[in-house]
Amino acid sequence: YSIVHDITERKRAEDALMESKARLVEAQAVTKVGSWETNLSNLKVIWSEETYRIFELDSNSFQASHPSFLEFVHPEDRKKVDAAFTGSMEKDSNNTIEHRIITSTGNVKFVEERWRIIHDAQRRPVRAVGTCQDITEHKQAEDAVHASEEKYRTLIQKIQAAVVVHESDTSISTANSMAQELLGLTEDQLLGKTAMDPDWHFFLDDGSALPLDKYPVNQVLATRQALRDYVIGVHRPQQDAPRLLHQQDVWVLINADPVFGKEDEIVQVIVTFTDITARKQAEESLRVSEERYRLLANNIPDIIYSLD
């Protein structure tokens, strides 16, 4: 005798489950996010395949546990990681920490751990479930950007010209020492200020205030083109006038260049100032001399007649 059972639905469910697990493994591999679960009664840990890959371990030969996990945490980060996990036992909220690990092959990686504590009916912590994401490339990119920004700021400070860097909202993010001296303002008075509310103001040859749409940074943002050899006056706060420049008003030659981002949007405008006050004063003296000469020349016949 034999009995036959139809297990088609069960097989379909098993196949669907296997397919779902395969997709989860693929998704974790792509995102470099592994999952884990810790039994808090015995500290045994279940790791996903991606978690093993992050730690460069073989799931067939290594038995994960919370103490063994801590052995892979960088010695300088181990105390804070252990304290964060222990301190989360009574919490119902999600927990997050970034730290370094040293893999089985000696590689140093940065990971981000996210987890939540599961409590029983008596509010006792029974399980911890979480994820482990490899963020090494992200951290390396951040470090590279930080190093690049430091080099950029150092270069700006060493340039033998007054340089002010505006962000896309016109706020000032960098002003080197020569710019501070020329404009008669401290770094604190410059950083964060926009073209709409500077402590100084620009003026034209006739002494009238420069319209906001003619401010160098605003012209560059509007035209998306560099501004060259733009001459305007700068009225500085008298109380902050630097010791090397005694006059309150100075004339400057401005060049401004847009910095484009990857989406072709302007992310910064770099403005350089050159003090041409002496040149402007010389030009004005020459103009006055020529005017006096013209007046004198026009009146020479009358002077000669009066002498006769």
Side-chain angles (χ1 to χ4, degrees):
Y1 295 89
S2 63
I3 300 175
V4 178
H5 294 280
D6 184 357
I7 59 170
T8 305
E9 291 302 320
R10 191 183 78 185
K11 289 295 291 181
R12 287 175 178 170
E14 289 175 352
D15 291 343
L17 180 60
M18 291 297 294
E19 185 178 352
S20 178
K21 287 182 177 179
R23 287 177 178 173
L24 178 60
V25 169
E26 290 175 357
Q28 289 193 355
V30 169
T31 58
K32 295 186 178 181
V33 178
S35 57
W36 54 267
E37 180 177 327
T38 301
N39 185 326
L40 297 177
S41 63
N42 56 20
L43 295 182
K44 289 185 177 180
V45 176
I46 300 173
W47 279 358
S48 70
E49 284 298 320
E50 183 58 25
T51 306
Y52 279 101
R53 273 194 290 269
I54 291 173
F55 283 77
E56 299 178 2
L57 292 166
D58 184 356
S59 59
N60 295 318
S61 59
F62 179 79
Q63 177 57 56
S65 66
H66 187 70
S68 63
F69 153 73
L70 287 175
E71 288 298 316
F72 287 101
V73 176
H74 194 287
E76 295 179 4
D77 297 344
R78 195 171 297 157
K79 187 175 180 179
K80 75 171 184 178
V81 171
D82 192 36
F85 188 69
T86 303
S88 68
M89 292 299 154
E90 303 303 321
K91 297 179 181 177
D92 289 322
S93 58
N94 294 330
N95 303 276
T96 306
I97 191 172
E98 291 183 7
H99 64 87
R100 292 165 293 175
I101 63 172
I102 301 177
T103 70
S104 61
T105 59
N107 292 322
V108 177
K109 293 183 178 181
F110 287 87
V111 297
E112 181 186 68
E113 306 272 2
R114 292 177 178 268
W115 74 96
R116 190 180 186 91
I117 302 299
I118 307 301
H119 300 88
D120 63 13
Q122 286 73 42
R123 291 289 305 156
R124 291 174 298 195
V126 293
R127 289 186 302 130
V129 293
T131 60
C132 175
Q133 182 176 13
D134 183 354
I135 60 171
T136 306
E137 292 181 358
H138 175 69
K139 292 295 288 186
Q140 289 173 341
E142 282 185 347
D143 291 343
V145 169
H146 179 72
S148 177
E149 289 177 347
E150 284 299 317
K151 290 179 181 178
Y152 169 70
R153 282 192 288 267
T154 301
L155 178 62
I156 291 294
Q157 291 297 337
K158 289 184 176 180
I159 289 177
Q160 294 302 304
V163 180
V164 173
V165 180
H166 292 265
E167 298 302 309
S168 57
D169 62 353
T170 77
S171 64
I172 296 173
S173 59
T174 304
N176 68 1
S177 56
M178 291 191 68
Q180 296 169 42
E181 184 173 1
L182 177 62
L183 299 174
L185 295 167
T186 65
E187 187 175 40
D188 289 340
Q189 290 173 310
L190 287 166
L191 297 187
K193 296 298 178 66
T194 70
M196 309 304 170
D197 59 353
D199 284 332
W200 76 95
H201 70 261
F202 297 132
F203 60 88
L204 302 170
D205 277 328
D206 61 3
S208 62
L210 185 71
L212 282 177
D213 63 332
K214 297 299 182 182
Y215 272 51
V217 62
N218 289 340
Q219 288 194 56
V220 172
L221 290 172
T223 63
R224 295 174 58 82
Q225 295 179 350
L227 184 66
R228 290 286 175 265
D229 300 332
Y230 190 53
V231 177
I232 53 177
V234 179
H235 184 74
R236 304 175 306 165
Q238 182 65 47
Q239 66 273 18
D240 294 315
R243 63 183 183 279
L244 298 180
L245 298 170
H246 302 292
Q247 68 280 357
Q248 186 173 359
D249 296 338
V250 294
W251 288 94
V252 294
L253 179 72
I254 289 178
N255 288 296
D257 294 271
V259 179
F260 292 94
K262 61 181 180 180
E263 299 297 331
D264 201 36
E265 80 281 13
I266 296 178
V267 294
Q268 287 182 331
V269 177
I270 300 176
V271 183
T272 59
F273 298 80
T274 302
D275 184 7
I276 60 169
T277 306
R279 191 183 85 185
K280 287 288 289 185
Q281 290 173 340
E283 290 174 352
E284 177 63 16
S285 297
L286 179 61
R287 187 193 65 79
V288 171
S289 296
E290 289 177 345
E291 179 65 16
R292 287 173 179 171
Y293 176 79
R294 185 186 64 79
L295 292 173
L296 180 62
N298 290 338
N299 291 308
I300 281 179
D302 294 336
I303 294 173
I304 294 176
Y305 178 78
S306 64
L307 289 176
D308 291 340

